[in-house]
Amino acid sequence: MNPSNWRTYLVTQASLSADRSTPDIVRAAIDGGIDAVQLREKDTSARSRYELGLEVRELTAEAGVELIVNDRVDIARAIDADGVHVGQSDLSVAVARDLLGPDAIVGCSASTVADARDAEAEGADYLGVGAVYGTASKDVDPDEDGIGPERIADIADAVSIPIVGIGGITADNAAPVVEAGAAGVAVISEITAAADPRAATESLARAAETTKAVDAGGNGR
């Protein structure tokens, strides 16, 4: 389990899925080549998230895709997820690590260099940095909305752990995020709200992989 290998990362949100179930969206994303899935669903009860998490865990485990739970360390443990992602107002990275153990993946949201350095110092395995282009999928402080690929570059220069860019990212604008130093890109609407989530995942993966290939050839960041 190595977040530096993640190119595409789905964050679930049933309210954007056009009445399709979250397992259906996850299944389509897996078929399209998704590398990691984050179970978010913050507007549901703990029991509902747990039951949904069991379904998603079965799908991701069979496919060899990492499953991360947003915020809830207890649910991550209960469904045997691969790890947890915490925000600046959630449990700290250090506490999440203590509860889940050394083998779990612990990610942390960051929008500033200072937050990124603090998360790395506490033992985060990766950072979710954004909102890169702005987002309507979740509430974000105006100071953290639309930070741009430039902030990705600043944070990539400041830390040694992998970065996943998030916020308003599509197949059309993913390249600058990866060029700036992100290992991959995380999306909600681009896959969840797509008419064809599998095709949307494939397009996103191609954009990230192509940019990585260019970088490896010495033509990118």
Side-chain angles (χ1 to χ4, degrees), residues 92-119:
S92 70
V93 169
V95 171
R97 173 71 66 204
D98 286 344
L99 293 171
L100 292 177
D103 296 330
I105 298 173
V106 179
C108 184
S109 296
S111 59
T112 68
V113 169
D115 287 344
R117 284 176 169 158
D118 287 346

CSV table of all heavy atoms in Angstrom, one decimal, residues 92-119:
chain,number,residue,atom,x,y,z
A,92,SER,N,-6.3,14.2,15.2
A,92,SER,CA,-5.0,14.4,14.7
A,92,SER,C,-4.5,13.2,14.0
A,92,SER,O,-4.9,12.1,14.2
A,92,SER,CB,-4.0,14.9,15.8
A,92,SER,OG,-3.7,13.8,16.6
A,93,VAL,N,-3.5,13.4,13.1
A,93,VAL,CA,-2.8,12.3,12.4
A,93,VAL,C,-2.2,11.4,13.5
A,93,VAL,O,-2.3,10.1,13.3
A,93,VAL,CB,-1.7,12.8,11.5
A,93,VAL,CG1,-0.8,11.7,11.0
A,93,VAL,CG2,-2.4,13.6,10.3
A,94,ALA,N,-1.6,11.9,14.5
A,94,ALA,CA,-0.9,11.1,15.5
A,94,ALA,C,-1.9,10.2,16.2
A,94,ALA,O,-1.6,9.0,16.5
A,94,ALA,CB,-0.2,12.0,16.5
A,95,VAL,N,-3.1,10.8,16.6
A,95,VAL,CA,-4.1,10.0,17.3
A,95,VAL,C,-4.6,8.9,16.4
A,95,VAL,O,-4.8,7.7,16.8
A,95,VAL,CB,-5.2,10.9,17.8
A,95,VAL,CG1,-6.4,10.0,18.3
A,95,VAL,CG2,-4.7,11.8,18.9
A,96,ALA,N,-4.9,9.2,15.1
A,96,ALA,CA,-5.4,8.2,14.2
A,96,ALA,C,-4.4,7.1,14.0
A,96,ALA,O,-4.8,5.9,14.0
A,96,ALA,CB,-5.7,8.9,12.8
A,97,ARG,N,-3.1,7.5,14.0
A,97,ARG,CA,-2.1,6.4,13.8
A,97,ARG,C,-2.0,5.5,15.1
A,97,ARG,O,-1.9,4.3,14.9
A,97,ARG,CB,-0.7,7.1,13.7
A,97,ARG,CG,0.5,6.2,13.7
A,97,ARG,CD,0.5,5.3,12.5
A,97,ARG,NE,0.8,6.1,11.3
A,97,ARG,CZ,0.5,5.8,10.0
A,97,ARG,NH1,-0.2,4.6,9.8
A,97,ARG,NH2,0.7,6.6,9.0
A,98,ASP,N,-2.1,6.1,16.2
A,98,ASP,CA,-2.1,5.3,17.5
A,98,ASP,C,-3.3,4.3,17.5
A,98,ASP,O,-3.2,3.2,17.9
A,98,ASP,CB,-2.2,6.2,18.7
A,98,ASP,CG,-0.9,7.0,19.0
A,98,ASP,OD1,0.1,6.6,18.4
A,98,ASP,OD2,-1.0,8.0,19.7
A,99,LEU,N,-4.5,4.8,17.0
A,99,LEU,CA,-5.6,3.9,17.0
A,99,LEU,C,-5.6,2.8,16.0
A,99,LEU,O,-6.1,1.7,16.2
A,99,LEU,CB,-6.9,4.8,16.9
A,99,LEU,CG,-7.2,5.7,18.0
A,99,LEU,CD1,-8.4,6.7,17.7
A,99,LEU,CD2,-7.6,4.9,19.3
A,100,LEU,N,-5.1,3.1,14.8
A,100,LEU,CA,-5.1,2.2,13.7
A,100,LEU,C,-3.9,1.4,13.5
A,100,LEU,O,-3.9,0.3,12.9
A,100,LEU,CB,-5.4,3.0,12.4
A,100,LEU,CG,-6.8,3.6,12.2
A,100,LEU,CD1,-6.9,4.3,10.9
A,100,LEU,CD2,-7.9,2.5,12.3
A,101,GLY,N,-2.8,1.8,14.1
A,101,GLY,CA,-1.5,1.0,14.0
A,101,GLY,C,-0.6,1.5,12.9
A,101,GLY,O,-1.0,2.2,12.0
A,102,PRO,N,0.6,0.9,12.9
A,102,PRO,CA,1.6,1.4,12.0
A,102,PRO,C,1.4,1.0,10.5
A,102,PRO,O,2.0,1.6,9.6
A,102,PRO,CB,2.9,0.7,12.5
A,102,PRO,CG,2.4,-0.5,13.2
A,102,PRO,CD,1.1,-0.1,13.9
A,103,ASP,N,0.6,0.0,10.3
A,103,ASP,CA,0.4,-0.5,8.9
A,103,ASP,C,-0.7,0.2,8.2
A,103,ASP,O,-0.9,0.1,7.0
A,103,ASP,CB,0.1,-2.0,8.9
A,103,ASP,CG,1.3,-2.8,9.4
A,103,ASP,OD1,2.4,-2.4,9.2
A,103,ASP,OD2,1.0,-3.9,10.0
A,104,ALA,N,-1.6,1.0,8.9
A,104,ALA,CA,-2.7,1.7,8.3
A,104,ALA,C,-2.2,2.9,7.5
A,104,ALA,O,-1.1,3.5,7.8
A,104,ALA,CB,-3.7,2.2,9.3
A,105,ILE,N,-2.9,3.3,6.4
A,105,ILE,CA,-2.6,4.5,5.7
A,105,ILE,C,-3.4,5.6,6.4
A,105,ILE,O,-4.6,5.5,6.7
A,105,ILE,CB,-3.1,4.4,4.3
A,105,ILE,CG1,-2.4,3.3,3.5
A,105,ILE,CG2,-3.0,5.7,3.5
A,105,ILE,CD1,-2.9,3.0,2.1
A,106,VAL,N,-2.7,6.7,6.7
A,106,VAL,CA,-3.3,7.9,7.4
A,106,VAL,C,-3.0,9.1,6.5
A,106,VAL,O,-1.9,9.5,6.3
A,106,VAL,CB,-2.8,8.1,8.8
A,106,VAL,CG1,-3.4,9.4,9.4
A,106,VAL,CG2,-3.0,6.9,9.7
A,107,GLY,N,-4.1,9.6,5.9
A,107,GLY,CA,-4.0,10.8,5.1
A,107,GLY,C,-4.5,12.0,5.8
A,107,GLY,O,-5.3,11.9,6.8
A,108,CYS,N,-4.1,13.2,5.4
A,108,CYS,CA,-4.5,14.4,6.0
A,108,CYS,C,-4.7,15.5,5.0
A,108,CYS,O,-4.0,15.7,4.0
A,108,CYS,CB,-3.5,14.9,7.0
A,108,CYS,SG,-3.9,16.3,8.0
A,109,SER,N,-5.8,16.3,5.2
A,109,SER,CA,-6.1,17.4,4.3
A,109,SER,C,-5.2,18.6,4.7
A,109,SER,O,-4.9,18.9,5.8
A,109,SER,CB,-7.5,17.9,4.4
A,109,SER,OG,-8.4,16.9,4.0
A,110,ALA,N,-4.7,19.3,3.7
A,110,ALA,CA,-3.8,20.5,3.9
A,110,ALA,C,-4.0,21.5,2.7
A,110,ALA,O,-4.2,21.1,1.6
A,110,ALA,CB,-2.4,20.1,4.0
A,111,SER,N,-4.0,22.7,3.1
A,111,SER,CA,-4.1,23.7,2.0
A,111,SER,C,-3.0,24.8,2.1
A,111,SER,O,-2.9,25.6,1.2
A,111,SER,CB,-5.5,24.5,2.1
A,111,SER,OG,-5.6,25.1,3.4
A,112,THR,N,-2.2,24.6,3.1
A,112,THR,CA,-1.0,25.5,3.3
A,112,THR,C,0.2,24.7,3.5
A,112,THR,O,0.2,23.5,3.9
A,112,THR,CB,-1.2,26.5,4.5
A,112,THR,OG1,-1.2,25.7,5.7
A,112,THR,CG2,-2.5,27.2,4.4
A,113,VAL,N,1.4,25.3,3.3
A,113,VAL,CA,2.6,24.7,3.5
A,113,VAL,C,2.8,24.3,5.0
A,113,VAL,O,3.3,23.2,5.4
A,113,VAL,CB,3.8,25.6,3.1
A,113,VAL,CG1,5.1,25.0,3.6
A,113,VAL,CG2,3.8,25.7,1.6
A,114,ALA,N,2.3,25.2,5.9
A,114,ALA,CA,2.5,24.9,7.3
A,114,ALA,C,1.6,23.7,7.7
A,114,ALA,O,2.1,22.9,8.5
A,114,ALA,CB,2.0,26.2,8.1
A,115,ASP,N,0.4,23.6,7.3
A,115,ASP,CA,-0.4,22.5,7.6
A,115,ASP,C,0.2,21.2,7.0
A,115,ASP,O,0.2,20.1,7.7
A,115,ASP,CB,-1.8,22.6,7.0
A,115,ASP,CG,-2.7,23.6,7.7
A,115,ASP,OD1,-2.3,24.0,8.8
A,115,ASP,OD2,-3.7,24.0,7.1
A,116,ALA,N,0.8,21.3,5.8
A,116,ALA,CA,1.4,20.1,5.2
A,116,ALA,C,2.6,19.6,6.0
A,116,ALA,O,2.8,18.4,6.3
A,116,ALA,CB,1.8,20.4,3.8
A,117,ARG,N,3.4,20.5,6.4
A,117,ARG,CA,4.6,20.2,7.2
A,117,ARG,C,4.2,19.6,8.6
A,117,ARG,O,4.8,18.6,9.0
A,117,ARG,CB,5.5,21.4,7.4
A,117,ARG,CG,6.3,21.8,6.2
A,117,ARG,CD,7.1,23.1,6.4
A,117,ARG,NE,8.0,23.3,5.3
A,117,ARG,CZ,8.5,24.5,5.0
A,117,ARG,NH1,8.2,25.6,5.7
A,117,ARG,NH2,9.4,24.6,4.0
A,118,ASP,N,3.2,20.1,9.2
A,118,ASP,CA,2.7,19.6,10.5
A,118,ASP,C,2.2,18.2,10.3
A,118,ASP,O,2.5,17.3,11.1
A,118,ASP,CB,1.6,20.5,11.0
A,118,ASP,CG,2.1,21.8,11.6
A,118,ASP,OD1,3.4,21.9,11.7
A,118,ASP,OD2,1.3,22.7,11.8
A,119,ALA,N,1.4,17.9,9.2
A,119,ALA,CA,0.9,16.6,9.0
A,119,ALA,C,2.0,15.6,8.8
A,119,ALA,O,1.9,14.5,9.3
A,119,ALA,CB,-0.1,16.6,7.8
